[in-house]
Amino acid sequence: MPDQIRPPQAANTEDPFEVLRASKDFFLRRLREIVTKAGAGKQSLLAAFGREVGDAYDQLASASPRDDFDDAGNLTASRLTLMSDHELEVDIHIRDICGHLRDAGGRDLWRSQLRYMTLLRRPKMKDAGNPVGPDVIGLGLWAICKEDGGDLAPTLALLDRIDERLRLELPVLYREIDELLAAHGVAPAQAQHAPVTANTNPGAQSAGGDGQDPTNPLATLQQAMRQRHGVEQQPPFGQPLIPFSANSEGRSENPALDAAAMVMLKHLFDRLTALEARSEPVGAVSAGNDPAPRPPLCVLKSNDLDLPAGRPEAITLDTLALIFEAIFESTDLPDTIKAAIGRLQIPLLKLAIVDSSLFADSSHPARLLINRMARAAIGLPPSTGSEHPVCKSIAALTAAVRDTLSQKGALLDPYLAELDALIAQRDQKLRLATAGHVLLVVGHEKEQAAQQLANSWLRASLAKTTTAPIAAFLEKHWSRVMVAAAVAGGVDGARWQQDSATASELIWSVQPKASAEERKRLAGVASSLIRRIGAGLDEIAVSGPERTLFLNTLFDLQTAALRAPAATVTELPDDPADQQAASCSLAESGAMTRAGPRTLGGDGLRVLYFGPSPSAPGRGLEDNWQVGDWLRFCVPDHPELCGLCCWQSPSSATVVLFNPDWGYAIAIPRGSLDEQLRTGRAQVASRMAIFDAAAECAMKHLERT
């Protein structure tokens, strides 16, 4: 097999169906090549992988072109069932891989998706609707794991190898798909937003002709500051704020003016460097166990340097001051993280003076650096100290990056990669820590589902008997036996079939026996029926006296059924206690699914469960958030919480969120979180860029003053 399969040449036809088929064939060939290199080269594994990816591609490509395209998000959930412990570990691993692939694909994935928006005529197609997106590849990985059927450790090792190979080669594959679609004349859709990723070109200009993105809050803030000072001109994208004169051939037209600008720039930088040296203790962590006393966080403004108002460098300094004021006032970050970010204030100011693209380019590496520092610390309580591992890591990175950050064109990729690793490591650790909590939720929802199955069975069984003692026995005891049978194997399991047949024979055994054949049959099954009833009562630990009382009653009822004519059946008097228990049983079981929250516990773990009835339809992962995101949300009787979405049930769509500082996990219906997001009571915190959020806050402050 060649190292790289090149995209086929453009076909003579521009039929969308032919273009989709060509891109599908190329996508599948390249993916098979990649997973083969990773060690999944068995023909059966490749066949299962290709079949699942191909089916998913076809389903997404052929769905009706609605703008919201919700069906795409249901793709994964529709192919999964309630998982075992083994499958749960695999599910967590594959979801992590999909997140890695989305990050690795970056702009290349986004560009190919824009062309699919055009090809499929879905201008608002979400990430989950992309026929070549990571979610589709994740389904293929599931197919490999199911086909392989091996133990957990080798399966996870195989997934890790595939993950590593895909992250290496997927960006190239997406570029090749982009070229293929372009060769067929498929233009990219007009982008409404673009993902911010580590491999973004830091020098890339925005969509506007002047390099300014009208949706860039920082650029908007800077322009508002210029207008406030009556300054309309701005330097070209990426140029220094202090102007230098040059002709078209690069020779200086006014050496004296350029020399004066250089002197001014050097003088300003010297003053900033001196201020930076004096502020060194701010944010520093002492070598001992106790942090050094930390001065109050403060921002640097133009009047601190006696800069004339309205000068470009003064506007730049005051614009950044508003940004840092908003960051320092944020309640989302601990003071230790704010201090670490604050230590980069002067290096960022130096950079902004020599490189105006810091304001114009929302994907500038320096802005990504600040955003990811905040992302790495998301969910930490305000009181988090400097000895916390995350705070230590960010403080060390801040010290290392300061000198590099102030240089135009400085390579920040190693620091961004370090933050990405810190984020991935922390999130993965939290998701693994919730494995026990997830098992509690899975077990609880299994029991809820089993209870509903038993309730349906009970209603049908009660309709078949008019004998009060039998009805009371079914409601009080045998319904619990059916719950256990449903948990063990569902309605198709051997236990359910056997225990249901036992109950049917019990109902029949006390009905009048008009013929000799029926009486003979009852005599033949009576002893077997008693044994099966006893085994069921053993399962639910019914006491001996209670059991004996019922068996005596059953003997009397069966004797009466043998002797009484069909038209006259004598029922024994009801036990009032049994009647009361029977009348409450269905109501109580129904209340189980409606009441909440409830606390699930075991092995020292706690889950606050706000989950829905197991009959609630599952929902797929939508584009606005997914497993692996941090959410700020609300639950009754609790303040606003920020936790990592660690797992979603593919059957009930219950979501498990966790933050180690809570001391428990929270299980809540996805629909509840979606509603909070729609009404603004919840936010996807991990997708919020702190630089942009601070700029928006600063802009609101500016409008009020």
Side-chain angles (χ1 to χ4, degrees):
M1 186 175 290
D3 290 340
Q4 187 172 349
I5 301 173
R6 299 306 304 169
Q9 298 298 315
N12 293 329
T13 177
E14 298 302 327
D15 183 352
F17 175 80
E18 295 297 332
V19 177
L20 283 169
R21 185 171 64 178
S23 61
K24 172 188 173 183
D25 292 343
F26 177 73
F27 181 55
L28 287 175
R29 289 199 304 272
R30 289 286 283 116
L31 284 180
R32 289 194 192 100
E33 174 191 352
I34 293 171
V35 298
T36 298
K37 291 178 182 178
K42 287 175 57 177
Q43 192 58 40
S44 60
L45 300 184
L46 290 175
F49 177 78
R51 185 167 54 250
E52 188 70 19
V53 172
D55 289 348
Y57 182 102
D58 291 340
Q59 183 175 337
L60 294 177
S62 62
S64 58
R66 301 197 310 268
D67 283 345
D68 56 356
F69 199 47
D70 285 338
D71 288 344
N74 292 325
L75 191 61
T76 301
S78 68
R79 294 168 185 260
L80 299 178
T81 58
L82 195 59
M83 291 175 286
S84 65
D85 297 352
H86 175 109
E87 292 171 324
L88 179 61
E89 291 286 345
V90 174
D91 178 60
I92 292 174
H93 224 69
I94 290 178
R95 289 178 187 271
D96 281 340
I97 290 173
C98 290
H100 299 162
L101 301 186
R102 189 169 286 105
D103 291 339
R107 294 264 178 183
D108 298 311
L109 168 61
W110 177 245
R111 281 193 292 266
S112 67
Q113 181 170 326
L114 290 176
R115 295 193 190 273
Y116 273 104
M117 290 179 182
T118 299
L119 182 60
L120 299 175
R121 298 181 181 179
R122 296 180 191 134
K124 296 183 180 180
M125 184 176 75
K126 300 177 180 180
D127 291 349
N130 187 356
V132 296
D135 293 334
V136 172
I137 299 175
L139 292 172
L141 298 183
W142 259 111
I144 288 178
C145 296
K146 291 178 180 178
E147 181 67 26
D148 184 50
D151 294 336
L152 180 60
T155 298
L156 297 183
L158 175 60
L159 288 174
D160 286 339
R161 293 196 300 273
I162 295 175
D163 181 20
E164 182 178 359
R165 178 60 63 173
L166 283 170
R167 280 197 270 180
L168 181 65
E169 299 195 29
L170 208 54
V172 176
L173 171 56
Y174 284 134
R175 285 196 292 273
E176 292 169 347
I177 291 176
D178 185 62
E179 293 171 5
L180 169 63
L181 297 177
H184 282 278
V186 180
Q190 181 65 40
Q192 296 181 352
H193 67 282
V196 177
T197 56
N199 60 351
T200 302
N201 178 8
Q205 293 193 15
S206 304
D210 60 356
Q212 295 287 351
D213 182 357
T215 64
N216 181 344
L218 187 56
T220 302
L221 176 64
Q222 186 189 38
Q223 183 61 26
M225 291 289 288
R226 289 195 189 97
Q227 293 174 353
R228 177 161 289 203
H229 290 282
V231 178
E232 296 296 334
Q233 297 297 321
Q234 59 181 350
F237 183 88
Q239 296 302 311
L241 297 178
I242 297 181
F244 299 90
S245 57
N247 59 23
S248 61
E249 298 177 354
R251 294 191 299 269
S252 175
E253 296 177 346
N254 192 333
L257 181 60
D258 289 348
M262 288 297 296
V263 169
M264 183 189 309
L265 180 62
K266 183 178 183 304
H267 179 64
L268 178 58
F269 270 45
D270 287 344
R271 295 188 64 188
L272 290 173
T273 301
L275 283 172
E276 187 176 17
R278 290 201 296 271
S279 63
E280 173 64 22
V282 177
V285 177
S286 65
N289 293 329
D290 296 326
R294 194 185 308 280
L297 298 170
C298 59
V299 297
L300 182 64
K301 300 182 179 180
S302 60
N303 55 13
D304 296 325
L305 297 174
D306 299 322
L307 294 176
R311 292 281 303 171
E313 59 272 21
I315 293 175
T316 297
L317 197 151
D318 288 338
T319 302
L320 278 180
L322 290 173
I323 296 294
F324 277 93
E325 277 183 342
I327 292 175
F328 293 160
E329 292 173 0
S330 170
T331 59
D332 299 331
L333 294 174
D335 287 345
T336 49
I337 301 299
K338 295 177 186 178
I341 294 175
R343 294 179 65 200
L344 300 180
Q345 182 179 186
I346 292 178
L348 279 173
L349 178 57
K350 291 180 179 179
L351 178 63
I353 291 173
V354 299
D355 183 6
S356 63
S357 67
L358 176 67
F359 290 92
D361 184 6
S362 60
S363 59
H364 192 288
R367 289 170 65 169
L368 296 182
L369 184 79
I370 303 299
N371 290 339
R372 290 185 195 173
M373 288 173 68
R375 168 63 179 86
I378 195 169
L380 292 178
S383 59
T384 303
S386 57
E387 290 302 304
H388 190 284
V390 172
C391 297
K392 272 188 172 182
S393 297
I394 292 179
L397 182 140
T398 300
V401 78
R402 287 178 70 187
D403 293 337
T404 304
L405 185 60
S406 60
Q407 303 169 16
K408 180 181 179 181
L411 183 64
L412 298 180
D413 289 354
Y415 304 104
L416 293 172
E418 184 178 341
L419 286 169
D420 285 339
L422 178 63
I423 291 168
Q425 181 182 22
R426 180 179 177 230
D427 287 2
Q428 176 69 3
K429 181 179 179 181
L430 294 189
R431 291 184 65 182
L432 291 176
T434 61
H437 300 88
V438 169
L439 290 177
L440 288 174
V441 173
V442 170
H444 177 70
E445 292 197 339
K446 270 188 174 181
E447 290 180 1
Q448 281 191 305
Q451 183 68 59
Q452 287 216 342
L453 291 172
N455 287 347
S456 298
W457 169 87
L458 180 59
R459 282 189 287 269
S461 298
L462 292 178
K464 299 175 184 177
T465 182
T466 58
T467 307
I470 299 300
F473 174 78
L474 294 178
E475 290 181 314
K476 184 178 180 181
H477 297 305
W478 208 253
S479 62
R480 293 164 54 202
V481 173
M482 298 305 293
V483 168
V487 170
V491 294
D492 296 323
R495 282 185 57 181
W496 178 278
Q497 298 298 326
Q498 178 179 311
D499 293 337
S500 178
T502 297
S504 296
E505 281 192 4
L506 173 63
I507 294 171
W508 171 83
S509 72
V510 300
Q511 293 172 347
K513 302 296 177 283
S515 67
E517 182 179 350
E518 286 184 314
R519 290 192 289 271
K520 182 179 179 180
R521 177 188 168 197
L522 176 57
V525 303
S527 60
S528 170
L529 177 61
I530 296 300
R531 287 196 302 272
R532 282 179 279 139
I533 290 174
L537 297 180
D538 287 341
E539 287 285 341
I540 60 173
V542 174
S543 66
E546 197 170 9
R547 182 184 311 203
T548 301
L549 178 63
F550 171 72
L551 292 178
N552 290 338
T553 301
L554 177 61
F555 177 78
D556 293 340
L557 288 170
Q558 290 175 341
T559 301
L562 287 170
R563 296 175 178 174
T568 58
V569 179
T570 303
E571 296 187 357
L572 296 181
D574 299 335
D575 184 334
D578 283 349
Q579 278 191 317
Q580 183 177 5
S583 64
C584 296
S585 61
L586 285 175
E588 289 174 350
S589 61
M592 281 178 58
T593 62
R594 294 189 297 271
R598 67 182 62 200
T599 299
L600 312 180
D603 296 329
L605 303 175
R606 282 198 308 143
V607 177
L608 296 186
Y609 183 83
F610 297 83
S613 163
S615 63
R619 297 184 59 187
L621 295 180
E622 297 179 357
D623 183 49
N624 58 343
W625 67 280
Q626 61 188 2
V627 171
D629 281 328
W630 284 80
L631 272 67
R632 289 193 185 90
F633 63 103
C634 303
V635 294
D637 301 323
H638 286 74
E640 183 183 71
L641 298 171
C642 183
L644 176 66
C645 176
C646 296
W647 178 79
Q648 173 175 291
S649 168
S651 54
S652 69
T654 298
V655 173
V656 173
L657 300 109
F658 183 65
N659 187 321
D661 295 295
W662 297 344
Y664 51 83
I666 287 180
I668 188 171
R670 182 183 176 96
S672 298
L673 294 172
D674 285 336
E675 177 62 24
Q676 289 189 36
L677 287 166
R678 282 192 293 269
T679 58
R681 293 181 294 124
Q683 301 86 34
V684 185
S686 54
R687 299 194 184 183
M688 296 174 64
I690 192 171
F691 225 92
D692 290 347
E696 291 174 354
C697 289
M699 190 67 198
K700 293 177 182 177
H701 173 76
L702 201 63
E703 291 172 351
R704 292 194 298 265
T705 58

